[in-house]
Every structure is written in C-alpha cells, then in structure tokens.
Amino acid sequence: MKIIEAHKSPSHDAAHTHVQGLSEFIDDRPAVAGELHVGVVYSPHPHARIVGIDPTDALAIADVVAVFTARDVHHNLWGPIFQDQPLVADTVVSFVGEVVALVAAETREAMEQARRAVRVSYEVLPAILSIPEAIAAQSFLGYERFIRRGDVDAAIAAAPHKRDGVVYIQGQDHFYLESHAAIAYPRDGGQIEVHASSQHPTEVQHIVAHGLGLRALDVVCVVKRMGGGFGGKESQAALFAFYASLVAHKLNRPARCVITKDDDMIMTGKRNPFEIHYRVGFDSDGALCGLDARLFSDGGAFADLSTSIMERAMLHSDNAYFLPAASIVGKVCKTHVHPHTAFRGFGGPKGVAMIEAILEDIAHSLEKDPLDVRKRNVYSAPDRNVTHYGQPLENLLLPELFDSLESRCDYRARRASVREHNAKGTSTLRGLSLTAVKFGISFTTRFLNQGNALVNVHQDGTVQVSTGATEMGQGVNTRIAQVVAEVLGIAHTDVRVMTTSTEKNHNTSPTAASSGTDLNAKAALDAVTRIRDRLSLVARGVLALPEDRRPSRTAGLGTQPELAVPEGARDEDIIFADGEAYDRLDSSKRIAFGALCREAYLSRVQLGDYGFFKIPGIHFDKLTGQGSPFFYFTQGTACSEIEIDRYTGELKVLRVDLLMDLGRPINHGLDVGQVIGAFVQGMGWCTSENLVYDDKGLLLSHSPSTYKIPSVQDTPRDFRIELIENHDNLQNVRGTKAVGEPPLLLGLSVWTAVRDALYALAPVEHTLPATLPMTLERILLTLDALRLQGLAR
C-alpha cells in the first residue's frame, strides 16, 4: 500500500488574513447609519405556558426602540424537515432558551438592559428531560425506522455466544469560535439583504421570506465566511438571521443580532444524545452472527434534523464490519431540551460507537485481541462486501488498511508492551486500540445531492467563481479554485472564489455531509470545462494566423476577423498550461492566457458559464431501509495508545497513528489539516466534552470555563498521519474523497483504548459500562467500582 508523499500545497485562501486578524466575520462589519442591536428574551423553563408578556419596563429604557413577539411574525412555524417549531414561541415554551420576545435598541448596552426588563409570566408544566422519560411517555418525533437483513432472532439463538447491553452516548457542543450572528439590511421595495453566519444560505433565504410573508425574490442571503460551523449552523443559523431580518423589516433600519457564547450554548441544539439497546450473537472466533439493535436518540423539543441523523446512525451501525443478520431500529425521542441538530459526522459516530464497543466487549469475553476480532469481522470481497442496507462496497480497502496500519504502527510489539506494563501494577494503566471507519459520502436525502456554480473569466485572464459552498475554515474555496485553475492551466491565485450569495447561486444545498467540494467543485468543473472548450477554438484561430498578424503574448489586439466558435466543440490539440495555451503538435505556437481571453471577448465568445452537478446512481427507500444511499465511502484506520492514572483518572494520549484513503487529494495540506482537526474533535467528544444540565433542563456547562474542548495539552504526544495512494475512485471530482467528517469517527479509538486499559483490571466475565464520553471522573469512578466490587485483578 503506497503512501502519498507530503508536498507543498497551496495554503488556505484566507490564511494570511486570518493570522493577521484582518478576515471579516459578521460582527466585524462596520455599523451603518441607523443600525439597531437585536437581543433575544428566552424561556428559563423547559416547558411552560406563556401567561403574559409585558414590555413596558423595557420600552421605558433610553435607546430602546421596540419589542417584538410572536404576533409580529407572519408565518411562525418552521423546520428543515417538519415545520413544527415556532420562530418565536407564542403560547407555550418547550425548552430552556426558546425565544419569546425580541428587543431592538440603539446600543448594545441598552439592548442587554432591555432583555432583562421584559416581564414574562409563565405557568410551569411537566417536562420530559431524558430518553428514558420519553420512552416511558411514548413521546417521539417522526416514525420508527428500520433496516433489516435475515432472521436476526434465529441467528442470535443459534450463535455459540450471546450478550446484550446498553451504550450511553452524550451530546457534544459545536463550540465554534464565532457564535450565531446575522445583520439584515432593508433594501428598496421591501427587500431584505441578510448577512449570516450560516452553512445553508438558501434555507436562511427561505425562512426569512417565510417568516416575514415575503417571496424568495425579496430576500438575498450573503455568507462570506463563518468562524466555524461543524453542523451547528446548518439549520439553526436561520433563526438568528430571521430575528435580525424581522427587526429590519418592521422598522426599516439595519439590524444586527449577535449572541454571546453563553446564550449560544444555552439556546442551541447539540449532537444528539443516544441510548442504544442491543443483543448480539457471535462465534468462538468473535465473528458476528446477528445483531439486534434499538437506537433511541434525544431529538429535543422539535424535529430539526434529528430524523435524518437517526437514519445515518442506523446506516453506519455496521461501520467497517459485515453483519450476516441484522435488525436496526431507530426512534427519535421528543423531550423538553433545545432541539438537537447536525454535528460533524451527523448520526454516523453513534452507530460506529455502538459496533466498536460491542467488538471490544466480545474480544474481552473471549480473551482475544480486539484487533483480531475486528479483522475477523471486517468487510471483504467477494461474499462479505454488501452492507445491511443492500449497498455493494466498491473500491473496498478496509482489509488492507487494517493490515497496513497494524504493520506500520508496530501493533503486536506494542500490544505486548502494554500487557507487560499493566502487569507490573504501577500507578498507571495503558490501553491500545486499532479501529476503522467506513463513512458514506452523500446526503441521505437525495434532492440535496446537487450543486451549481457560476464561473466568470475576465479579459485579463483572471477568474471569479461563485458556488453554493460556504467557507467555515475547511478550505472549500481553495479546493474549488484549484480545480478551476487546473482546467485553464493558470495559477490558483488567478482564481477567486467569491462570497456566497443566493442571488448568484439558487436553491443550494447546505455545506454539510462532507460534500461541499464534491458538489460545488464538480459544478464549477462543469462550467469551466465548457469555457475552456470555447477558448480552445479561439486559440486555434489565433495560432493559425501568420506570425505578423498574431496578437502579442501579453495583450489581445483583435487583429483577426471575428472567430466562429460552435457550441459544444473543442480542439483537443490545444493545451492549457503554465498560463498559456499552445498547440500540442507544435509547441512553438502559443498565446498567453490573458491575451487569449481578450481575443475571445473581441470575437464575442462567451467567457462565462453556469455549471450544475447532481450525484448519479444513489437511491434509498426509507420505508424498506434498503438501497444505495452513498456515492462512495471514505475509509481509514487509527491506532491510539493511552495512559490513565489509576488514582486520579487522568488521561494522556501517548500516540496516535492514522492511515486514511482520501483518493487523490486536491490539496494534501488542507486534507491533513482536516484529518487532524476532525480526529481531535472526535477525541474531545469521547473523553472530555461533558454537557451538564440541571434538573430543569438548563445547560450548566455553557462557557469555556465549564465545557472542556481539547487543548494542546490533550492532543497526542506522538501524532502520525499518512494518506494512501488510491487512483480507483474515478467517479468523484479529480478522484478525491471527502475528508470533513470521516476522521472524527476515528477519535473513537481513544475511547476504545480507555476501555481496553480498564479491561486489563476486569475479569473475563465482567463487562464494563459503555458510556461516552469517558471523562476523568468517569474513568476514576469505573476504577473505584472495580476495586469496591473486588473485581480488579
């Protein structure tokens, strides 16, 4: 298995302005004349009836202009899948943080004072605050979903070994650096231009129009960049854009809505918590015979994207492993907490956590190395390469990835070293785990798998590209610029990807599901290829002229008669490279790209085009749970070695080795950066990011001081990342594979390594609780429980 050699890649297009503090985010936009500050008044109760709202005291404050409530909203219900959530609560509040009123003020100080002065009286109602409570009350969102293969009951009954258990998975806050923010500007004729920190400009456009009673043509959403998103700005950003837009529309003044980190964390949804009940049958080698799993997620008070998240969790319940017989059933619980939403990996991490925990437990019960159990179950050709939902696996590299990383990281010797260390009974325990990921790339909702792009080539040979992709730090703009530049044979610095705007790119899909480059670069490729083909005919006409009539290599002179360029034709012998176009058969005949563009303009040849792309060949029947929902799979493996202190529970990640298949990366440097960031974020979810709520549904860990994301001290002491060469992923743009989400799931290797370390103390018949995250406190409590029960060996 050949490794891609590291090489210098073009840097992120905004890296230089980021490090200088010059990049513009929403709240960096200068205030304009008449601009108002918008604040939100939200519920302190998880479930209550609104008895009354009295804005009198707030309106008496100097510089307070107005207070708005649900009666000021034209259409109040919204939702990305089901329209079940009020934009502003009208009669009942359903979670702590639900907005009941908006205040508009001349200054931020007056706005904050007014928020506290609005008097809202409530009649508190009973609340459901957990998955078990929701199950007991039969409180659910949407319908029960299932994926089934074979007779799972018979398979488990016939299996030599059986076990059952529960996997408890908590949520995770997105903790983007830029909290939700939006500025709305009223324009002529009742139009609204809203600048939002959003992954989904089209949804913002539609929600603003819907809530204000406007048409789509009256609203433009602009997204220059976000200070992080991670899924948290896919749907819920539309709310804050609407709040700014409502004030701007009602008062005909610009309005800015920027919330604090504390309010953001209290109000907005997280990664869905899950509770998974399973039964599994397996043989003496650890091979799975049948898996029966019931997945329950906490959707929160409203549906948001939770039903689709559940669907992806079910689709990824196999991860890298063949399930001969399976029944995977999913239900989304309706509770009185903030509506949970998209998060990097969507539902995939929960399904993967379940199967990895099961395999770890099976290995312990059989006294086998967990890696051997994983390799025994891994997908392989030819008769074990179809998923439980019926999709054949093409370009399957999982067995080789396991074998290659096992060798590269010296797994067997390190396993022996870990055993030896733990046998000494020192103050620390070590754990080692090698896990995999097989992440499906595509939206599981088919109509979202489309993108469009506008490419404009100017007379000086520079290019502007507009797509529906939104930049949140991941480098999608840089990758799109590279794809366009390569087709035209020019430097990537001669291509600029413009600010995303719904007036240039219509009906766009969110930048999510790791598909931003796949959809939008492919659409840009479609457009720029047609432009290049027309330019090739212009080049042929110019290069055919006598030398004395040929335009200079630096400026078009328009000396030749107007060229005829038939649509759809191309001169295959014209090569675009190094900023020039030349004849493949006679390389002395060449013209500078800028001069060629000038000649094309003078000959009235179209230098702009609109491209479109839709992912082909995907289908999934949500009612039967069968189909091929994914375009391809990104695959990878990771080996993590950890050390925990027996007496404090302190966790250190000693070494991590990652081996990823990303096809042929467009930008090696950006891809490696995404692998690092995703893995560390996944590691944080598994180990330290603990969401703590009080008994009234209020998030207590709502600040950097109480919610612990990984710091530089938590990252692996020894971190090794390699990308393999894979030239067989032919269907995707440039042969690349998506990287945004898949490596996050490899962060689970740290979690399973912690469980591996703890299993070193437990007898064969004992099963450790499968709870995520394994924080310092949970590790210590597990160690204490083993000691108190006299189980520690």
Side-chain angles (χ1 to χ4, degrees):
M1 185 168 281
K2 191 173 181 182
I3 301 298
I4 297 175
E5 295 296 329
H7 59 277
K8 183 173 175 57
S9 307
S11 63
H12 188 289
D13 67 324
H16 59 295
T17 56
H18 283 357
V19 298
Q20 296 177 80
L22 300 176
S23 297
E24 181 184 87
F25 297 90
I26 294 294
D27 207 26
D28 295 323
R29 294 180 64 83
V32 299
E35 184 174 291
L36 296 169
H37 294 272
V38 180
V40 294
V41 179
Y42 58 73
S43 167
H45 304 291
H47 192 204
R49 185 171 288 108
I50 301 173
V51 177
I53 301 175
D54 182 1
T56 306
D57 291 348
L59 292 171
I61 297 170
D63 291 329
V64 173
V65 177
V67 175
F68 297 103
T69 62
R71 65 187 178 187
D72 298 297
V73 181
H74 187 82
H75 289 124
N76 200 22
L77 287 181
W78 80 287
I81 300 177
F82 312 118
Q83 289 192 356
D84 64 340
Q85 181 175 354
L87 289 162
V88 180
D90 47 5
T91 58
V92 174
V93 292
S94 299
F95 62 94
V96 174
E98 185 170 9
V99 173
V100 298
L102 305 171
V103 299
E106 303 282 358
T107 67
R108 192 164 288 188
E109 293 74 20
M111 176 269 288
E112 289 291 351
Q113 189 178 353
R115 288 178 61 202
R116 296 188 292 272
V118 174
R119 305 301 174 195
V120 185
S121 53
Y122 298 94
E123 176 192 345
V124 177
L125 302 172
I128 297 171
L129 298 176
S130 69
I131 291 174
E133 290 175 29
I135 295 172
Q138 292 293 288
S139 177
F140 299 108
L141 292 162
Y143 58 87
E144 182 176 273
R145 297 161 184 265
F146 65 87
I147 299 174
R148 294 193 175 101
R149 174 159 65 187
D151 187 339
V152 71
D153 290 330
I156 293 175
H161 304 277
K162 307 169 185 62
R163 66 184 309 117
D164 57 65
V166 184
V167 181
Y168 300 96
I169 303 173
Q170 289 187 198
Q172 182 182 20
D173 188 80
H174 304 86
F175 217 88
Y176 27 68
L177 294 180
E178 177 195 32
S179 296
H180 280 288
I183 305 176
Y185 303 95
R187 301 302 189 200
D188 294 353
Q191 299 176 67
I192 292 291
E193 178 184 304
V194 58
H195 292 247
S197 183
S198 169
Q199 296 172 234
H200 199 348
T202 288
E203 184 166 66
V204 170
Q205 176 194 27
H206 291 174
I207 296 301
V208 169
H210 175 79
L212 298 182
L214 303 175
R215 296 181 296 169
L217 61 83
D218 296 318
V219 180
V220 173
C221 177
V222 180
V223 178
K224 184 174 182 62
R225 63 168 60 89
M226 288 161 275
F230 308 119
K233 296 177 180 176
E234 180 175 343
S235 61
Q236 299 196 357
L239 283 167
F240 301 95
F242 171 75
Y243 298 149
S245 299
L246 175 66
V247 172
H249 184 66
K250 292 289 186 180
L251 301 177
N252 198 34
R253 292 176 65 176
R256 180 181 302 241
C257 182
V258 179
I259 62 173
T260 66
K261 174 57 72 177
D262 295 86
D263 285 342
D264 188 300
M265 292 184 72
I266 289 170
M267 297 172 67
T268 62
K270 319 298 177 193
R271 186 188 294 281
N272 297 70
F274 267 62
E275 185 174 303
I276 304 174
H277 300 254
Y278 70 86
R279 297 184 300 127
V280 64
F282 53 97
D283 68 18
S284 297
D285 289 329
L288 297 169
C289 301
L291 172 64
D292 178 16
R294 296 187 62 81
L295 285 64
F296 296 94
S297 72
D298 185 344
F302 302 105
D304 201 273
L305 292 164
S306 290
T307 52
S308 288
I309 290 165
M310 172 58 76
E311 183 175 85
R312 187 171 279 265
M314 296 167 64
L315 290 168
H316 284 76
S317 291
D318 60 333
N319 190 25
Y321 313 107
F322 179 71
L323 304 178
S327 173
I328 313 294
V329 179
K331 298 189 80 170
V332 180
C333 296
K334 179 179 173 66
T335 63
H336 293 106
V337 298
H338 32 215
H340 293 301
T341 191
F343 200 120
R344 195 175 195 172
F346 220 54
K350 274 78 75 160
V352 173
M354 174 195 71
I355 194 67
E356 294 293 354
I358 289 172
L359 294 177
E360 200 77 23
D361 291 345
I362 287 173
H364 175 69
S365 68
L366 296 175
E367 296 188 279
K368 290 184 176 294
D369 190 311
L371 176 58
D372 293 330
V373 172
R374 289 184 169 93
K375 291 176 70 174
R376 177 67 181 82
N377 287 285
V378 71
Y379 278 109
S380 57
D383 56 344
R384 293 168 57 88
N385 65 342
V386 178
T387 66
H388 57 303
Y389 46 89
Q391 179 163 359
L393 299 180
E394 299 176 356
N395 196 211
L396 177 60
L397 298 175
L398 288 166
E400 292 88 345
L401 285 164
F402 266 116
D403 290 342
S404 182
L405 187 59
E406 176 186 348
S407 173
R408 287 177 178 278
C409 76
D410 202 14
Y411 178 88
R412 299 297 173 180
R414 290 169 63 198
R415 169 58 73 190
S417 177
V418 165
R419 287 199 186 101
E420 182 181 347
H421 175 88
N422 292 339
K424 291 177 180 177
T426 64
S427 62
T428 61
L429 284 169
R430 289 186 180 172
L432 184 69
S433 186
L434 199 161
T435 66
V437 65
K438 171 187 64 64
F439 195 86
I441 304 299
S442 296
F443 289 96
T444 55
T445 299
R446 187 175 62 181
F447 67 78
L448 293 176
N449 293 293
Q450 59 178 300
N452 58 68
L454 172 65
V455 178
N456 290 322
V457 178
H458 298 286
Q459 294 178 51
D460 65 352
T462 61
V463 184
Q464 292 177 326
V465 182
S466 300
T467 77
T470 55
E471 177 62 59
M472 63 192 95
Q474 82 278 39
V476 66
N477 288 352
T478 304
R479 292 183 178 90
I480 292 171
Q482 285 183 249
V483 169
V484 170
E486 183 180 77
V487 172
L488 298 177
I490 58 179
H492 74 278
T493 51
D494 289 334
V495 180
R496 174 160 289 162
V497 178
M498 308 303 292
T499 295
T500 309
S501 171
T502 56
E503 66 180 334
K504 291 180 290 186
N505 297 98
H506 61 285
N507 302 319
T508 58
S509 296
T511 304
S514 302
S515 64
T517 299
D518 287 13
L519 295 176
N520 295 283
K522 191 75 169 180
L525 181 63
D526 177 48
V528 75
T529 298
R530 286 196 295 275
I531 297 170
R532 179 205 60 195
D533 292 350
R534 290 193 288 268
L535 285 172
S536 73
L537 300 180
V538 175
R540 172 57 65 202
V542 171
L543 297 178
L545 291 171
E547 188 70 32
D548 60 345
R549 293 189 56 205
R550 196 176 302 163
S552 75
R553 295 178 60 172
T554 57
L557 302 176
T559 54
Q560 78 273 29
E562 185 170 271
L563 297 164
V565 178
E567 188 63 32
R570 177 189 175 190
D571 191 317
E572 300 281 352
D573 289 329
I574 298 297
I575 306 300
F576 293 82
D578 301 322
E580 295 182 315
Y582 63 89
D583 191 332
R584 180 174 61 86
L585 303 176
D586 183 357
S587 60
S588 67
K589 294 182 177 180
R590 51 181 66 226
I591 181 173
F593 184 73
L596 176 61
C597 294
R598 174 69 174 166
E599 291 299 325
Y601 169 73
L602 294 173
S603 286
R604 298 187 293 178
V605 173
Q606 181 182 347
L607 283 173
D609 220 317
Y610 214 80
F612 178 78
F613 174 67
K614 63 179 181 180
I615 293 179
I618 55 173
H619 60 92
F620 182 69
D621 189 325
K622 296 176 184 289
L623 298 179
T624 64
Q626 295 294 302
S628 294
F630 301 119
F631 194 26
Y632 61 86
F633 295 90
T634 294
Q635 302 160 83
T637 48
C639 181
S640 293
E641 183 174 354
I642 62 91
E643 183 176 80
I644 58 179
D645 190 296
R646 290 177 187 250
Y647 304 108
T648 66
E650 182 184 8
L651 168 66
K652 293 180 180 178
V653 182
L654 302 179
R655 176 176 164 181
V656 171
D657 296 77
L658 275 87
L659 187 61
M660 293 291 298
D661 163 32
L662 299 181
R664 292 182 293 169
I666 294 172
N667 188 302
H668 185 275
L670 287 177
D671 281 7
V672 169
Q674 285 288 287
V675 171
I676 293 170
F679 180 88
V680 170
Q681 190 171 46
M683 185 184 73
W685 169 56
C686 293
T687 61
S688 67
E689 297 187 35
N690 195 26
L691 293 165
V692 180
Y693 296 82
D694 69 9
D695 59 2
K696 299 295 190 295
L698 169 66
L699 179 68
L700 299 177
S701 51
H702 56 72
S703 70
S705 62
T706 53
Y707 184 77
K708 188 182 185 320
I709 63 171
S711 71
V712 68
Q713 298 298 325
D714 300 302
T715 54
R717 273 63 175 168
D718 185 349
F719 204 178
R720 310 180 188 194
I721 297 168
E722 293 181 312
L723 308 182
I724 67 166
E725 282 196 6
N726 178 6
H727 300 282
D728 296 328
N729 184 49
L730 304 178
Q731 63 267 51
N732 199 37
V733 58
R734 277 277 312 274
T736 188
K737 283 192 174 186
V739 65
E741 294 171 292
L744 183 142
L745 286 74
L746 292 174
L748 284 160
S749 62
V750 175
W751 182 59
T752 52
V754 171
R755 300 187 81 235
D756 178 69
L758 294 172
Y759 264 134
L761 297 179
V764 172
E765 64 275 9
H766 184 73
T767 300
L768 291 171
T771 303
L772 190 158
M774 282 300 285
T775 60
L776 180 154
E777 293 85 355
R778 286 203 177 99
I779 292 172
L780 189 58
L781 288 170
T782 303
L783 287 166
D784 286 346
L786 288 170
R787 294 189 193 102
L788 288 172
Q789 296 173 49
L791 295 176
R793 55 180 184 179

